[in-house]
């Protein structure tokens, strides 16, 4: 069976039941060109989003979405076949 990584049982196990107390939500990240892939598998010539940043309801309100994303560089793959994901949070008052 083929499925989106975001629908994988392991990810659903970690995030919990949507809307339930303590559930987690993936931040919708993209790079400077709007691409959302985080992993390149050379053998399959396949790009997938398999890396996530998850937040709970309490943390979600502090996310600075305009300062979150996926790192894009011509040399992104020199260290890994995964691209770094990042998030910025507002300081607590």
């Amino acid at each position: 069976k083929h499925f989106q990584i975001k629908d994988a049982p392991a990810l659903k196990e970690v995030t919990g039941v949507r809307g339930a107390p303590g559930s987690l939500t993936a931040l919708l990240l993209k790079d400077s060109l709007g691409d959302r892939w985080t992993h390149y598998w050379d053998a399959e010539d396949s790009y997938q989003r398999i890396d996530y940043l998850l937040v709970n309801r309490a943390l979600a309100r502090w996310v600075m979405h305009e300062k979150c994303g996926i790192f894009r560089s011509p040399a992104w793959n020199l260290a890994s076949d995964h691209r770094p994901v990042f998030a910025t949070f507002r300081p607590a008052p």
Side-chain angles (χ1 to χ4, degrees):
K1 174 183 175 187
H2 290 347
F3 53 83
Q4 295 286 336
I5 299 297
K6 68 180 182 176
D7 296 327
L11 190 57
K12 286 184 175 186
E13 181 70 25
V14 171
T15 58
V17 177
R18 184 178 299 193
S23 66
L24 300 174
T25 302
L27 296 178
L28 190 56
L29 305 174
K30 60 185 175 182
D31 67 17
S32 59
L33 297 180
D35 290 335
R36 298 188 184 282
W37 63 272
T38 62
H39 177 261
Y40 174 65
W41 186 11
D42 188 40
E44 293 287 325
D45 191 25
S46 172
Y47 294 83
Q48 294 183 323
R49 177 184 176 208
I50 64 172
D51 301 286
Y52 295 84
L53 292 177
L54 306 171
V55 295
N56 64 17
R57 230 181 269 164
L59 186 57
R61 66 184 179 159
W62 301 104
V63 176
M64 298 175 69
H65 294 278
E66 68 280 1
K67 294 186 177 188
C68 299
I70 301 169
F71 181 70
R72 184 173 199 109
S73 162
W76 70 269
N77 63 340
L78 292 180
S80 175
D81 53 359
H82 295 257
R83 297 196 299 166
V85 295
F86 60 92
T88 304
F89 300 89
R90 280 186 259 296

